[in-house]
Amino acid sequence: MAESFLWKGRLGPMDLRISDTTFTPSTISTLVARELRIEEGDVAIDVGCGSGVLAIIAAKLGARHVHAIDKSPDVIEVGRANAEANDVSDRVSFYQGDLFEPLDQSIKADVIIGDVSGIPDALADESGWFPTRGGGGARGSELPIRMLEEARRRLASGGRLFLPTGSLQDETSIIDTARRLYTRVRKLTERRIPLPSRIATSQVLSDLVDRGVVRIVTRGSRSLWEARVWEVSGIA
C-alpha cells in the first residue's frame, strides 16, 4: 500500500510515493542531499536509493543520468513514479538488487551516493526503521565496507563518493576502510540526532554500547547519536 511523504530537504518541497517496503527519507538523507555536489553532465549512481529522492535531486542538479539501485522489491515501480512526478524520469533509471550488481559492468560514475543501511542488524530490527528488516551487518559496518570496496570499480577518474556514517555503527572500521581504499576522505558535515526513548532504553542498544560497537552521547535526559557525511575520492 503506497503512501505519500513530503520531502522538505534540498530542492523541496517534493511529494514522494512511499510503499510498505520503501525506506522513508531520514535526517541522514537530508544531510547527504545538502552536501551533494553535482557538476553539469555528471553520471551518478545512487546505491540504496529507497524512494529515489537523492537520485531525483542529483538529476535536478544537472546529472546527465542517474542509476538508482535498492533491494526493495518494488523500487522500480516506486522510483519511477517519483521520478515521473518530479519531471526527471528521462534521466533516472531504477534497478532492484544488491549494491552495484544490477548494473552493466561498463557503467562508471562521476558521483556515487553510498547511503546504504548502516546500523547493526539487531538494532535495525529493534528500531523498525527499515521496512525490509536487517541493517548493515552484525556491526553495522559490513555492508558499507562492501559498498566502498565495490565502488572502486565503479568510480570514474576524478569521481567522488558521498558516504554517510554514524555512531550507531562500527564507524571507525568504515572510515579506516575508506582511508585504505581511497586517497582522500574529507568530512563535510556532522550532526547530533536524538534517539527515540524506546530505542535509547532498549537492551539491544545497551548491549551494543557495552561491546563498543556503537557510541551514544548523553545530554541531560536525552540520548543522542552522531551522524556524519564524508566525501571520498581518489583510488589508492
Side-chain angles (χ1 to χ4, degrees):
M1 181 178 180
E3 298 180 356
S4 180
F5 175 84
L6 181 62
W7 168 263
K8 297 180 181 179
R10 189 177 185 184
L11 301 187
M14 189 187 305
D15 284 315
L16 298 171
R17 177 179 173 181
I18 303 290
S19 79
D20 292 340
T21 59
T22 305
F23 180 75
T24 302
S26 64
T27 301
I28 287 285
S29 310
T30 303
L31 291 177
V32 174
R34 190 179 70 187
E35 300 299 330
L36 189 60
R37 179 169 60 89
I38 300 289
E39 305 292 341
E40 192 72 29
D42 279 347
V43 172
I45 298 174
D46 180 6
V47 189
C49 67
S51 65
V53 63
L54 296 179
I56 292 167
I57 289 170
K60 286 179 173 287
L61 290 174
R64 175 163 52 90
H65 202 85
V66 186
H67 302 275
I69 312 155
D70 198 272
K71 66 180 182 179
S72 172
D74 59 0
V75 62
I76 295 174
E77 177 187 357
V78 171
R80 281 179 179 167
N82 288 330
E84 288 173 3
N86 288 280
D87 300 320
V88 293
S89 59
D90 59 329
R91 286 179 286 142
V92 186
S93 299
F94 290 89
Y95 310 79
Q96 194 277 328
D98 178 59
L99 295 181
F100 301 92
E101 182 273 330
L103 296 185
D104 186 277
Q105 291 296 318
S106 65
I107 295 175
K108 291 198 172 186
D110 305 292
V111 173
I112 294 176
I113 305 166
D115 188 8
V116 299
S117 299
I119 64 175
D121 292 339
L123 187 58
D125 290 344
E126 177 87 358
S127 69
W129 294 338
F130 298 90
T132 54
R133 301 186 68 82
R139 299 179 66 85
S141 57
E142 292 86 348
L143 183 60
I145 285 173
R146 186 158 63 87
M147 184 275 297
L148 286 168
E149 293 170 342
E150 295 185 18
R152 283 166 52 90
R153 298 189 294 273
R154 295 293 187 169
L155 200 60
S157 177
R160 53 210 176 274
L161 185 155
F162 292 88
L163 172 70
T165 65
S167 64
L168 285 182
Q169 62 188 169
D170 180 8
E171 185 178 29
T172 299
S173 294
I174 298 170
I175 298 306
D176 285 349
T177 299
R179 287 176 172 148
R180 174 173 56 85
L181 297 176
Y182 300 87
T183 59
R184 189 181 189 203
V185 179
R186 182 169 67 100
K187 184 171 66 177
L188 301 176
T189 191
E190 62 185 347
R191 180 183 295 180
R192 287 181 173 174
I193 304 171
L195 275 171
S197 58
R198 180 177 60 85
I199 305 302
T201 58
S202 74
Q203 188 61 48
V204 168
L205 181 67
S206 179
D207 290 344
L208 289 165
V209 170
D210 289 344
R211 289 164 47 204
V213 177
V214 307
R215 293 175 292 104
I216 299 300
V217 177
T218 302
R219 290 289 179 268
S221 61
R222 296 194 306 168
S223 296
L224 305 98
W225 64 282
E226 297 170 322
R228 280 168 273 273
V229 179
W230 310 76
E231 183 181 278
V232 177
S233 59
I235 306 300

